[in-house]
């Protein structure tokens, strides 16, 4: 494929996460072209350097009509495969109930666990596919998805197998995380240690044997899983070959960020309540700080201290946290708005966070996350010639075309997928 007349290419560059001040260094090229072969970017240049005769060109020619090209977005934290919905609970929260109150009364995650246990793999596949289609329309080309709405062997495997099938059948790449430790299973009431042991000894081996996940995650939080249990679970996962990531310091300051650094987690996520010491340690580590402002917005909580973290030298990524409870939104446009307006990230930092740093949070920064020669051609064309419209056109999806591995998979003009 040859993409011509690109108004502006706006991209971070490099093969690893950008930390601190580096996050705002974008490479910009106006009036440009991108040439792709076998799904890989072969050439990037100015239209002026290109001969105007394309008659001999074998591949597909796409006229970008002065649109801006940015890397495909990487949504590195979602729970997109789940059964049922929790609209009532959302309204109860609007009326004053807290997320943890609802969870402690048997609602919250447990409500989705009941629904997910009941649904067939086919039903979960269809709703998951639908959500992937919606995400794709917003420019997402790679998505991470977690299990954790089963909390038993059968349903955890069902969720992970559905994600594996979606990865194979849908143009978006799906990367799976085993999160059996999303909440204490009702079958193990008050028996945290026994539940972790069950997950480590009876569920993990099947997950790894079937190659159903790359990562292991846990909800490390007061009243959910303790620091000790979290360390145990993630180390068991690591031993079985699953790289650790963690839900940390979301509701209270708990030391989750420090634990993430100590065990070498790929990413620590949420971090609304991260301590200053946690920020300092994250900045010195290779652990990506994945911030999920859609969740803070939906729960009406203070945002993670993104500015402080970037100024301290952390690598910050942004992700949606799409799930049926704390954040039923996959809006990438909302993330850009919240990052810029509420978290004081610059448009450049937000773009890096949504692309290269998201890729780094999934250990794929060598292959995706930027528009550079040698990288996979995952590209979004925006309806405007300037990447800053991502924040300026507030909470509005401005993605016009999505290219995955050099193929046009979504075109807003026709609404056609693939
Ligand atoms: O990332 N924090 C824990 N887990 C999810 C919420 C899951 C749910 O409420 O269903 C999150 O916010
Ligand atoms: Fe989450």
């Amino acid at each position: 494929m040859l993409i011509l007349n690109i108004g502006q290419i706006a991209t971070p560059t490099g093969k690893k996460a950008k930390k601190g001040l580096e996050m705002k260094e974008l490479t910009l090229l106006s009036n440009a072209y991108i040439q792709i072969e076998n799904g890989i970017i072969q050439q990037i240049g100015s239209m002026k350097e290109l001969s105007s005769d394309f008659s001999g060109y074998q591949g597909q020619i796409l006229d970008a009509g002065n649109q801006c090209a940015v890397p495909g977005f990487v949504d590195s934290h979602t729970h997109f495969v789940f059964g049922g919905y929790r609209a009532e609970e959302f309204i109860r929260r609007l009326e004053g109930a807290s997320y943890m109150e609802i969870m402690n009364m048997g609602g919250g995650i447990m409500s989705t666990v009941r629904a997910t246990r009941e649904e067939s793999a086919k039903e979960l596949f269809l709703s998951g596919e639908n959500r992937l289609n919606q995400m794709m329309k917003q420019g997402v080309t790679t998505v991470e998805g977690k299990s954790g709405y089963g909390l038993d062997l059968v349903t955890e495997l069902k969720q992970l197998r559905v994600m594996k099938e979606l990865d194979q059948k849908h143009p978006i790449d799906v990367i799976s995380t085993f999160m059996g430790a999303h909440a204490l299973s009702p079958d193990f009431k008050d028996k945290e240690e026994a539940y972790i042991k069950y997950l480590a000894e009876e569920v993990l081996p099947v997950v790894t044997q079937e190659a159903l996940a790359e990562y292991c995650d846990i909800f490390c939080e007061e009243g959910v899983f303790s620091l000790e249990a979290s360390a145990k679970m993630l180390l068991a996962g690591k031993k079985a070959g699953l790289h650790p990531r963690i839900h940390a310091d979301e509701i209270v300051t708990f030391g989750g960020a420090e634990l993430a650094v100590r065990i070498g987690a790929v990413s620590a996520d949420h971090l609304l309540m991260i301590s200053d010491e946690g920020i300092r340690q994250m900045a010195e580590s290779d652990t990506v700080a994945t911030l999920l402002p859609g969740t803070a917005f939906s729960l009406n909580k203070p945002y993670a201290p993104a500015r402080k973290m970037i100024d301290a030298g952390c690598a910050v990524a942004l992700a949606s946290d799409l799930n049926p409870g704390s954040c039923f939104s996959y809006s990438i446009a909302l993330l850009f708005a919240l990052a810029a307006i509420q978290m004081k990230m610059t448009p450049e930092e937000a773009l890096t966070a949504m692309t290269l740093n998201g890729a780094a949070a999934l250990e794929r920064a060598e292959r995706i996350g930027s528009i550079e020669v040698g990288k996979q051609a995952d590209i979004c064309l925006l309806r405007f010639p300037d990447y800053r419209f991502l924040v300026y056109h507030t909470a509005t999806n401005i993605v016009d075309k999505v290219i995955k591995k050099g193929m046009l998979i979504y075109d807003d003009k026709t609404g056609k997928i693939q």
Side-chain angles (χ1 to χ4, degrees):
M1 178 186 273
L2 186 56
I3 314 175
L4 300 174
N5 300 315
I6 302 169
Q8 175 188 66
I9 298 175
T11 182
T13 46
K15 294 185 170 176
K16 55 187 181 53
K18 295 285 176 196
K19 294 181 81 172
L21 293 175
E22 299 169 353
M23 280 185 67
K24 57 170 182 277
E25 291 165 11
L26 293 186
T27 298
L28 301 179
L29 183 63
S30 48
N31 194 23
Y33 74 91
I34 300 173
Q35 194 237 321
I36 303 161
E37 248 173 69
N38 299 323
I40 305 292
I41 300 174
Q42 304 292 336
Q43 268 187 62
I44 299 172
S46 162
M47 284 300 291
K48 285 185 227 127
E49 300 154 14
L50 205 60
S51 109
S52 54
D53 179 18
F54 303 112
S55 52
Y57 188 72
Q58 301 281 310
Q60 181 184 1
I61 292 180
L62 185 70
D63 187 341
N66 206 35
Q67 295 190 327
C68 174
V70 295
F73 302 132
V74 179
D75 193 346
S76 61
H77 179 143
T78 85
H79 310 248
F80 81 97
V81 172
F82 57 84
Y85 292 99
R86 283 151 52 193
E88 260 160 52
E89 179 186 300
F90 186 83
I91 307 302
R92 266 166 62 205
R93 279 213 313 273
L94 294 179
E95 291 165 356
S98 78
Y99 179 80
M100 289 312 269
E101 270 163 27
I102 293 171
M103 181 157 169
N104 292 335
M105 284 162 63
I109 292 173
M110 284 320 302
S111 154
T112 301
V113 167
R114 287 187 290 272
T116 307
R117 286 180 178 185
E118 264 171 39
E119 282 193 24
S120 67
K122 179 84 190 161
E123 287 170 303
L124 292 172
F125 179 91
L126 290 174
S127 57
E129 181 182 47
N130 205 302
R131 289 174 202 132
L132 285 181
N133 285 340
Q134 300 307 320
M135 290 188 245
M136 179 167 71
K137 291 180 186 180
Q138 323 222 4
V140 173
T141 47
T142 302
V143 78
E144 182 262 11
K146 304 176 197 294
S147 72
Y149 289 127
L151 314 184
D152 62 14
L153 177 70
V154 176
T155 320
E156 289 293 309
L157 293 179
K158 181 169 68 177
Q159 263 192 291
L160 290 169
R161 288 179 185 137
V162 163
M163 281 190 266
K164 190 171 181 174
E165 194 183 346
L166 283 167
D167 179 46
Q168 287 159 354
K169 296 192 173 158
H170 197 281
I172 291 188
D173 282 322
V174 177
I175 294 147
S176 295
T177 296
F178 169 57
M179 199 179 179
H182 195 191
L184 187 60
S185 166
D187 317 328
F188 287 81
K189 207 169 172 337
D190 298 324
K191 287 191 271 187
E192 179 183 72
E193 212 183 314
Y195 183 52
I196 298 292
K197 192 164 181 282
Y198 162 75
L199 290 176
E201 291 177 8
E202 290 177 50
V203 187
L204 249 182
V206 192
V207 170
T208 50
Q209 198 185 358
E210 278 190 46
L212 288 175
E214 276 183 50
Y215 295 100
C216 185
D217 197 342
I218 187 164
F219 191 4
C220 174
E221 186 66 51
E222 187 174 75
V224 191
F225 288 105
S226 65
L227 286 168
E228 296 74 50
S230 302
K232 232 184 232 168
M233 182 73 241
L234 295 179
L235 291 174
K238 206 171 175 177
K239 214 169 138 203
L242 303 187
H243 294 182
R245 46 199 324 117
I246 181 168
H247 282 61
D249 300 320
E250 178 183 357
I251 318 272
V252 301
T253 306
F254 201 55
E258 291 89 331
L259 174 65
V261 171
R262 185 157 63 79
I263 62 169
V266 175
S267 174
D269 302 27
H270 284 291
L271 307 174
L272 274 58
M273 304 301 288
I274 187 172
S275 68
D276 286 346
E277 176 59 17
I279 294 179
R280 197 188 62 75
Q281 290 189 22
M282 292 274 301
E284 280 176 13
S285 76
D286 288 330
T287 303
V288 175
T290 300
L291 307 185
L292 314 165
T295 309
F297 178 66
S298 297
L299 295 177
N300 201 15
K301 295 265 192 223
Y303 294 89
R307 191 66 268 147
K308 213 168 152 182
M309 298 175 83
I310 295 172
D311 291 344
C314 294
V316 167
L318 287 165
S320 72
D321 195 24
L322 168 66
N323 73 76
S326 63
C327 183
F328 189 35
S329 170
Y330 32 56
S331 171
I332 300 299
L334 177 65
L335 296 186
F336 274 106
L338 295 176
I341 298 167
Q342 300 291 344
M343 297 164 99
K344 310 295 173 212
M345 290 171 69
T346 67
E348 296 75 25
E349 289 167 344
L351 184 61
T352 299
M354 204 63 244
T355 56
L356 188 62
N357 282 7
L362 296 173
E363 299 174 289
R364 279 162 170 76
E366 296 206 350
R367 241 192 301 154
I368 57 172
S370 64
I371 301 179
E372 288 178 87
V373 170
K375 284 232 183 165
Q376 187 167 294
D378 292 2
I379 297 166
C380 296
L381 292 176
L382 309 178
R383 269 192 282 128
F384 296 92
D386 182 330
Y387 70 95
R388 291 173 302 185
F389 280 72
L390 284 168
V391 299
Y392 161 55
H393 206 337
T394 311
T396 303
N397 181 18
I398 59 167
V399 172
D400 188 66
K401 290 185 177 63
V402 183
I403 292 149
K404 176 76 187 174
K405 296 177 185 149
M407 312 265 279
L408 183 64
I409 58 167
Y410 179 69
D411 186 346
D412 187 58
K413 300 261 174 345
T414 57
K416 224 181 92 190
I417 290 167
Q418 262 213 13

